[in-house]
Amino acid sequence: MTSTSGPAPVHFKIVIDAAAPHAQADFWAAALHYEVEDNSALIEKLLGFGAVPAELTVESHGRRAWRDLAAVRHPDDPYQEESGTGLGRRLLFQRVPEAKTGKNRLHLDLHPGEGRREAEVARLEARGASVLRQVKEPGGEWVLMADPEGNEFCVH
């Protein structure tokens, strides 16, 4: 008898380099209607034990957060209550010293729904994104945009 069950799917998150991870997390949480993760309970616990120095943290949204990391998660996905870390669809923004150069090798495609592209583009522009170009090809239409740090993404 052969087994039909294989290995469990691999859990992953998309990690995006950023100059300002908290600002990027705020932008993408608004863009995707996600939630910025709240790691403050874990951070306060680690600070209380002396396991991490306070210099590794900042205040964001009135609570302690990691200075160089900020993540957003889908509001319906599970998360670890002790750490605030999402266990499903996540974007993690990590501070890097260098600025973005060149074209992304990976980008997100946003699908706001039939007839909602124009309104979504306007909403994202109001939050700091910019339109790079309108694309009309035989395979479809979309708007190529850049987030506040210049990372490209498409709105279909």
Side-chain angles (χ1 to χ4, degrees):
M1 180 171 175
T2 60
S3 172
T4 57
S5 67
V10 174
H11 174 75
F12 71 93
K13 63 183 163 284
I14 297 173
V15 180
I16 302 170
D17 291 349
H22 295 278
Q24 284 293 90
D26 288 343
F27 171 82
W28 282 102
L32 299 173
H33 302 285
Y34 273 34
E35 295 177 357
V36 175
E37 289 183 356
D38 178 1
N39 307 123
S40 62
L42 173 64
I43 293 169
E44 294 294 348
K45 185 177 183 180
L46 292 172
L47 288 169
F49 289 148
V52 297
E55 304 82 60
L56 293 182
T57 69
V58 294
E59 186 173 312
S60 180
H61 300 286
R63 58 187 185 237
R64 284 274 184 203
W66 297 115
R67 180 189 65 206
D68 297 329
L69 299 169
V72 299
R73 64 176 175 80
H74 190 287
D76 296 335
D77 287 352
Y79 64 97
Q80 293 175 334
E81 290 194 28
E82 183 180 333
S83 68
T85 301
L87 301 173
R89 296 162 278 189
R90 297 175 73 214
L91 298 177
L92 173 67
F93 301 91
Q94 67 179 2
R95 185 181 315 279
V96 295
E98 66 277 356
K100 178 187 177 298
T101 60
K103 184 178 181 323
N104 295 10
R105 293 294 304 244
L106 171 80
H107 70 266
L108 301 179
D109 280 354
L110 308 185
H111 298 270
E114 187 69 33
R116 295 181 22 208
R117 181 185 319 124
E118 189 175 310
E120 188 67 3
V121 167
R123 185 178 78 84
L124 295 170
E125 280 184 300
R127 293 201 136 307
S130 56
V131 172
L132 299 178
R133 74 174 191 265
Q134 305 265 344
V135 179
K136 292 183 182 185
E137 295 183 352
E141 295 182 19
W142 61 90
V143 178
L144 176 62
M145 299 187 77
D147 73 13
E149 289 197 9
N151 300 301
E152 295 92 2
F153 65 98
C154 296
V155 180
H156 288 260

